[in-house]
Amino acid sequence: MEFKDYYKTLGVDDNADTKAIKTAYRKLARKYHPDVSEEHDAEDKFKEVTEAYEVLGDAKKRAEYDEIRQYGTQGGGFQPPPGWQPGGGAGGFDFSGAGAGGGNYYEGDFSEFFENIFGGGFRQQGGQQGPNRSRYSSRGRDIELEMPIFLEDTLKEGAQQISYKLPHYSVDGQRLEDVKKTLNVKIPTGVADGEVIRLKGQGAQGVGDGPSGDLFLKIRLVPHPQFDVEGHNLIITVPLLPWEAALGAKVTVPTLEGKIQLTVAANSQSGQRLRIKGKGLPHKTGRGDLIAVLNVVMPKTTSDATKEAWEALAKHNTENPRADWN
């Protein structure tokens, strides 16, 4: 089994914080997204960085990965630690409550390494592994995939094309070559991160006269370098110089649809939240809001004249911001 160095895939250090990992993924996901990339191996690269972020962007998966990472060999192989069992990881996805049915298979578009570490791959009711060898008719397998979506794409109407591979078996249960399938999927208005879309009959073909399984798409909103997501609202931090906060200012702020002018009132405080109506993510009855969080920052350099101005201000100001400590 080939070892996957997810830190190398995202180009980050193994002590990188969540923000650095998110930023790296956002940059690479946009670079290799099959809809916009001209790289010849864009689809494979996109899958690799998505898989890496699925692990490093999740605290539990990352902790488990860090524990077994030392067992990855220089030759690219993976030698599991003593007592390690495939599929004993953080659990992968669970669609048991999404209409998938208790005994069905699930197969994500992930590497063998991911499937074994984080509980993916094939599984049957009763813990049996491997394909169904029944010669009788049986329902096809359900397929589970992640569908990354850029925040900007949530504002667009129309369908998005996805391609995936379906496991294929002979009548007697022998594994055959996977079949590639392409669909145009309409993303419902107001879809949220982590939401599951079920496409009936778009999973693996049934055996004999059995019906096809279903396709479950788990929506993943690709992290944005400027906006955080809070429900259907977007959060953006707006840096202000001290005199802008004190005197008030007009500040140019980006949105998903372009730039707007934000009015900052005089005597604004760091951490104050300003709400811009209708500039968030769409939902079934409208749009969320854009929340601008003010953050007062000091200039990185100070001239003599600026220092004198601060000293003059200090002499005339009698307010004590720590008065309630007494």
Side-chain angles (χ1 to χ4, degrees), residues 224 226-228 234-240 244 249-264 272-277 279-280 289-295:
H224 196 283
Q226 293 173 317
F227 303 107
D228 289 320
L234 295 177
I235 312 296
I236 186 170
T237 299
V238 180
L240 294 176
E244 291 178 317
K250 293 279 189 180
V251 182
T252 301
V253 176
T255 73
L256 293 179
E257 302 163 289
K259 298 179 179 179
I260 61 171
Q261 289 293 311
L262 177 66
T263 300
V264 177
Q272 187 174 339
R273 294 161 68 99
L274 304 180
R275 184 180 299 269
I276 300 96
K277 292 282 189 180
K279 290 297 182 180
D289 302 329
L290 175 63
I291 309 297
V293 182
L294 305 183
N295 180 35

Side-chain angles (χ1 to χ4, degrees), residues 14-322:
D14 56 9
N15 60 352
D17 59 18
T18 302
K19 182 178 180 180
I21 291 173
K22 181 185 294 186
T23 300
Y25 171 60
R26 167 74 182 185
K27 180 179 178 181
L28 292 172
R30 183 171 288 279
K31 178 179 179 181
Y32 293 118
H33 197 290
D35 291 344
V36 298
S37 178
E38 297 181 357
E39 303 279 347
H40 73 280
D41 57 350
E43 183 176 350
D44 291 336
K45 291 288 187 182
F46 185 76
K47 291 177 182 177
E48 290 177 5
V49 299
T50 300
E51 177 176 317
Y53 183 71
E54 172 66 23
V55 174
L56 300 186
D58 182 284
K60 289 184 178 180
K61 287 189 177 73
R62 183 179 181 181
E64 182 170 356
Y65 174 72
D66 287 341
E67 287 183 8
I68 58 92
R69 186 168 176 245
Q70 60 182 308
Y71 296 95
T73 64
Q74 292 183 351
F78 174 69
Q79 296 295 329
W84 177 81
Q85 294 292 328
F93 303 137
D94 179 9
F95 289 108
S96 57
N104 297 325
Y105 288 61
Y106 297 94
E107 183 171 316
D109 201 4
F110 296 111
S111 68
E112 179 187 10
F113 176 78
F114 180 97
E115 297 285 0
N116 280 284
I117 298 300
F118 299 106
F122 296 152
R123 56 180 185 265
Q124 287 181 298
Q125 191 172 17
Q128 297 175 348
Q129 299 289 330
N132 185 353
R133 300 287 179 177
S134 173
R135 291 179 178 270
Y136 301 98
S137 297
S138 64
R139 183 179 182 275
R141 296 174 179 173
D142 290 336
I143 302 297
E144 167 201 315
L145 296 175
E146 281 203 342
M147 188 169 186
I149 298 179
F150 292 115
L151 297 185
E152 294 87 345
D153 290 340
T154 63
L155 304 181
K156 301 176 183 178
E157 295 184 359
Q160 295 193 35
Q161 189 177 86
I162 63 168
S163 296
Y164 58 102
K165 292 182 179 180
L166 292 172
H168 188 50
Y169 293 90
S170 65
V171 176
D172 62 355
Q174 295 295 322
R175 181 72 181 253
L176 304 177
E177 184 177 356
D178 290 348
V179 178
K180 185 175 182 179
K181 189 169 186 177
T182 300
L183 290 177
N184 289 321
V185 180
K186 181 175 176 58
I187 305 302
T189 300
V191 69
D193 186 62
E195 188 170 338
V196 177
I197 300 174
R198 179 187 182 187
L199 300 179
K200 189 174 182 179
Q202 297 300 335
Q205 184 176 0
V207 176
D209 296 328
S212 296
D214 299 334
L215 173 64
F216 292 88
L217 295 177
K218 186 172 185 179
I219 300 300
R220 285 295 191 194
L221 297 181
V222 178
H224 196 283
Q226 293 173 317
F227 303 107
D228 289 320
V229 178
E230 192 176 271
H232 289 99
N233 294 332
L234 295 177
I235 312 296
I236 186 170
T237 299
V238 180
L240 294 176
L241 291 167
W243 45 88
E244 291 178 317
L247 303 176
K250 293 279 189 180
V251 182
T252 301
V253 176
T255 73
L256 293 179
E257 302 163 289
K259 298 179 179 179
I260 61 171
Q261 289 293 311
L262 177 66
T263 300
V264 177
N267 299 319
S268 291
Q269 303 294 314
S270 191
Q272 187 174 339
R273 294 161 68 99
L274 304 180
R275 184 180 299 269
I276 300 96
K277 292 282 189 180
K279 290 297 182 180
L281 298 177
H283 52 79
K284 292 179 175 59
T285 58
R287 288 276 297 273
D289 302 329
L290 175 63
I291 309 297
V293 182
L294 305 183
N295 180 35
V296 179
V297 297
M298 292 296 296
K300 295 181 180 180
T301 59
T302 303
S303 64
D304 291 340
T306 302
K307 184 177 180 181
E308 290 177 1
W310 283 121
E311 291 173 345
L313 179 63
K315 290 180 180 179
H316 289 87
N317 182 37
T318 59
E319 184 176 345
N320 180 7
R322 297 169 297 279

